[in-house]
Amino acid sequence: MTNSNREIAVDAIVVGAGFAGLYMLYRLRKLGLTAKVIEAGSDVGGTWYWNRYPGARCDVDTAMYSYGFDEKLQQEWEWSEHYAAQPELQRYLSHVADRFELRSDIWFDTRVATADYDERNASWTIATESGDTVHARWCILATGNLSVGRIPEIPGLKATSLPVYHTGNWPHEGVDFTGLDVAIIGTGSSGIQAIPEIAKAAKHLTVYQRTPSFTVPANNRPRDPAEYAELKKLYPELRRSLYAGEIYGAGEPLEPGSRFRRSVAIADASEDERRAEFQQRWDRGGGHFNGAFVDILTSETANEAAADFVRGKISEIVEDPEIAEKLSPRGIPIGTKRLAVDDGYYATFNRDNVTLVDLRDDPIAEVTDSGVRTEKSERRHDVIVFATGFDAMTGAILKIDITGCGGASLREKWAAGPRTYLGLMTHGFPNLLLVTGPGSPSVLGNVVCHIEQHVEFIADMLADAAARGEDVIEADLAAEDAWVERVNHQADQTLYPRANSWFLGANVPGKPRVFMPFVGGIGLYRQICDQVVADGYAGFERGKANQSAQAARG
Ligand code: NA7
């Protein structure tokens, strides 16, 4: 990267030009603030810019995984399928950037290295890896929850001459697998999407699976024009319903106040009713499978019934009973790792050119120049694909060297796990705002609707502060402590902490095991935020920059 040495002062700096950063810029401009967005990629898109692997597509119906803030935009944009693929999502975000003329305030190909808070001026100084400096009152991190890819340390990997790819950082020119013997490591959502596509293209595909995941069919299909026109008429009500938490999770069922939002506990359904409910959700497709009963994520009995249903489907679809058993998750409650949504995943293991290696029986020993050696055997490959996930939720934030009041380091403050108030701010780091930070519902459900809510909360809070002549905002320590406790308490009421998921940081060796998202759901979370606003931004200390830093912080 070349040194560019730009130096500017703006009201707000936004890091990241994905769904969150683009909408944040739009709202900051509406407030009359000057803003600059810094983006590491060469274009907008965030996670949809980087995750270009074969099969990459949204696991939520894109009619709802899209912005609702502009009526014309949602009326004019045409999604071609229910679960749009990466190129279409990238086109959508590019269209949004053009439509609202956002690009002029974005620096592309630029990565933020450090962010330092100056207490005397209540402002942030951001330095980029290429030598730029930005001074800003507000520093807003729209860095995404799944931005920092993880390739595990495996003996021999650094030295291998084989081509190695990670699903989260896929070459823009694509990879031609024709005639190749491919290894893929990892069977989470990304692996589950990539495996069927790579299997179709490659000579042979070997899937190295450490833990089987639950996945349900997407039943993806082109949008029916009449149905889509009807949906567009209902958009305002559908968005309201989704944002109020009346639609299960991500919002696949496209009816207001949806009948797919069920309040029935499993104990109140007969065996036949249970099966019928699971079956119709399986047939319809999508992640709302887990909304079949209200207690699937809180009751072991309900969870086991859902898990059993899916295991039954695996044994129906997969012809070899031994492979079916290896693919069947056991001991992990369904939904406690994000439920994957697939397109022909289990059936892929019936193909002659696909081999499943169960790493629980036969762990990887090393990567060589000719392939992968496990403890029991050695296989030749031409290429290795890692679908091994991300340093989620905190990875992109902590990659930046952030110092707050008194030179305190955010990495040190969060050494035992992230601490935030509402997932929006962290005490000791005034004027640093997080979009869908740890402690907010963020990754549970439809992240675009969570992003819109956070961006609007932040914009309204900045407008309110400006109206009162205030320019310092900081999370109150007691409010933060109480919120962290509440996030943990909510998670402990559910089965979520039972899985070694990235929600818990359990996928990254050495990362503190703390449940990071707020599991109470978007409806409850919005109510809490609305109450905070009604109470005059309770839990946020606010003041003026020209007061002494101590006084400003109360
Ligand atoms: P995930 O869901 O974190 O999945 C990563 C997969 O990689 C998972 O199967 C892991 O097995 C496997 N993994 C990780 N490290 C290793 C090593 N060292 N050896 C073998 N296998 C390994 O990431 P995804 O990218 O699939 O999905 C992330 C989110 O993106 C997803 O939830 C959606 O929201 C979109 P493990 O379970 O750790 O045994």
Side-chain angles (χ1 to χ4, degrees):
M1 194 171 282
T2 54
N3 263 18
S4 45
N5 294 319
R6 294 164 285 194
E7 179 155 6
I8 58 164
V10 284
D11 295 318
I13 182 83
V14 178
V15 187
F19 267 103
L22 292 179
Y23 185 36
M24 195 71 245
L25 173 60
Y26 172 86
R27 291 300 296 240
L28 290 166
R29 282 188 183 168
K30 289 257 172 217
L31 292 178
L33 298 180
T34 54
K36 188 63 72 187
V37 177
I38 299 186
E39 166 58 52
S42 303
D43 200 351
V44 299
T47 203
W48 296 110
Y49 172 85
W50 300 104
N51 282 267
R52 292 165 183 254
Y53 58 87
R57 61 174 71 243
C58 199
D59 64 1
V60 173
D61 191 310
T62 358
M64 299 305 279
Y65 185 96
S66 52
Y67 292 120
F69 71 85
D70 187 273
E71 180 58 12
K72 270 195 168 167
L73 170 67
Q74 67 182 4
Q75 290 301 333
E76 286 171 19
W77 182 262
E78 297 284 328
W79 292 107
S80 67
E81 299 175 285
H82 281 260
Y83 297 87
Q86 178 274 333
E88 194 169 359
L89 279 145
Q90 172 75 42
R91 273 201 304 281
Y92 171 73
L93 287 165
S94 187
H95 168 75
V96 170
D98 293 338
R99 183 190 180 102
F100 298 109
E101 297 177 354
L102 300 175
R103 290 181 194 274
S104 57
D105 278 324
I106 306 175
W107 285 351
F108 292 107
D109 299 306
T110 308
R111 193 178 279 282
V112 172
T114 64
D116 299 300
Y117 184 64
D118 171 359
E119 282 176 82
R120 272 190 318 165
N121 299 314
S123 74
W124 285 88
T125 299
I126 285 87
T128 70
E129 286 182 358
S130 41
D132 311 298
T133 308
V134 181
H135 306 279
R137 171 80 64 217
W138 312 104
C139 177
I140 305 172
L141 301 185
T143 38
N145 286 295
L146 298 162
S147 326
V148 178
R150 255 196 79 244
I151 292 190
E153 283 184 19
I154 299 176
L157 179 58
K158 285 203 177 99
T160 184
S161 55
L162 292 177
V164 170
Y165 303 103
H166 186 275
T167 48
N169 189 9
W170 201 256
H172 282 217
E173 62 281 12
V175 179
D176 183 2
F177 290 111
T178 314
L180 299 185
D181 192 317
V182 182
I184 185 165
I185 300 174
T187 51
S189 293
S190 304
I192 285 170
Q193 289 188 335
I195 285 163
E197 295 307 313
I198 299 177
K200 284 179 214 158
K203 184 171 82 182
H204 193 90
L205 176 65
T206 303
V207 177
Y208 291 88
Q209 170 191 271
R210 189 166 67 181
T211 312
S213 298
F214 286 104
T215 171
V216 294
N219 191 15
N220 190 28
R221 58 206 181 280
R223 287 211 169 268
D224 171 71
E227 193 186 280
Y228 197 13
E230 201 49 39
L231 181 154
K232 284 191 171 181
K233 282 193 217 147
L234 293 174
Y235 248 140
E237 178 55 11
L238 283 167
R239 300 275 187 199
R240 190 210 58 74
S241 207
L242 176 63
Y243 288 19
E246 293 166 9
I247 294 179
Y248 177 79
E252 279 83 351
L254 297 171
E255 294 114 34
S258 170
R259 67 193 161 85
F260 279 83
R261 174 79 189 174
R262 301 242 311 165
S263 51
V264 179
I266 197 122
D268 297 329
S270 68
E271 274 299 330
D272 284 353
E273 285 165 343
R274 292 175 189 186
R275 199 166 169 86
E277 186 63 33
F278 288 135
Q279 185 65 51
Q280 67 139 335
R281 284 167 189 264
W282 181 272
D283 293 341
R284 186 179 173 114
H288 65 86
F289 179 85
N290 262 358
F293 296 96
V294 72
D295 47 356
I296 285 185
L297 284 163
T298 51
S299 143
E300 280 181 32
T301 315
N303 195 284
E304 199 48 26
D308 256 349
F309 180 88
V310 176
R311 284 191 288 260
K313 290 291 176 194
I314 299 171
S315 58
E316 275 171 30
I317 299 167
V318 179
E319 287 155 9
D320 180 330
E322 246 180 71
I323 296 176
E325 183 50 36
K326 284 180 182 166
L327 288 167
S328 296
R330 304 214 178 256
I332 302 167
I334 185 169
T336 53
K337 289 186 169 184
R338 189 172 170 109
L339 183 62
V341 175
D342 72 88
D343 187 6
Y345 178 67
Y346 293 124
T348 297
F349 292 89
N350 295 334
R351 294 177 67 103
D352 292 338
N353 71 333
V354 174
T355 304
L356 178 66
V357 176
D358 187 344
L359 299 178
R360 293 166 298 182
D361 278 357
D362 187 12
I364 294 177
E366 66 168 339
V367 169
T368 65
D369 270 342
S370 58
V372 173
R373 188 173 67 76
T374 55
E375 284 182 4
K376 295 183 186 166
S377 57
E378 185 160 3
R379 291 176 182 79
R380 296 183 73 83
H381 302 298
D382 301 310
V383 40
I384 304 178
V385 174
F386 283 88
T388 40
F390 300 87
D391 181 356
M393 304 198 71
T394 52
I397 298 172
L398 296 179
K399 212 169 168 188
I400 304 171
D401 189 2
I402 300 174
T403 54
C405 293
S409 137
L410 186 62
R411 286 180 192 147
E412 277 170 32
K413 176 175 174 181
W414 286 8
R419 301 189 71 78
T420 71
Y421 177 47
L422 297 171
L424 281 160
M425 294 195 88
T426 185
H427 176 75
F429 297 79
N431 292 6
L432 178 72
L433 294 136
L434 314 172
V435 185
T436 64
S440 70
S442 59
V443 290
L444 297 178
N446 182 337
V447 77
V448 179
C449 105
H450 297 159
I451 284 170
E452 285 198 320
Q453 190 250 343
H454 260 198
V455 167
E456 286 161 16
F457 186 99
I458 291 170
D460 290 350
M461 184 160 72
L462 298 195
D464 186 69
R468 297 157 61 104
E470 295 165 344
D471 39 28
V472 184
I473 306 176
E474 182 180 1
D476 173 67
L477 183 58
E480 177 173 295
D481 289 346
W483 183 252
V484 170
E485 202 168 303
R486 181 163 187 179
V487 171
N488 287 324
H489 176 76
Q490 295 267 169
D492 289 343
Q493 308 307 303
T494 71
L495 302 172
Y496 275 111
R498 305 243 186 126
N500 286 328
S501 66
W502 55 261
F503 298 144
L504 262 173
N507 63 325
V508 179
K511 190 165 173 172
R513 200 183 163 93
V514 173
F515 197 83
M516 294 183 280
F518 174 74
V519 297
I522 183 71
L524 173 61
Y525 181 77
R526 284 181 80 88
Q527 281 170 24
I528 294 167
C529 289
D530 289 350
Q531 193 58 49
V532 164
V533 176
D535 294 341
Y537 290 95
F540 293 99
E541 296 289 337
R542 305 188 307 167
K544 293 190 183 12
N546 58 4
Q547 295 168 344
S548 76
Q550 204 51 45
R553 293 169 53 214

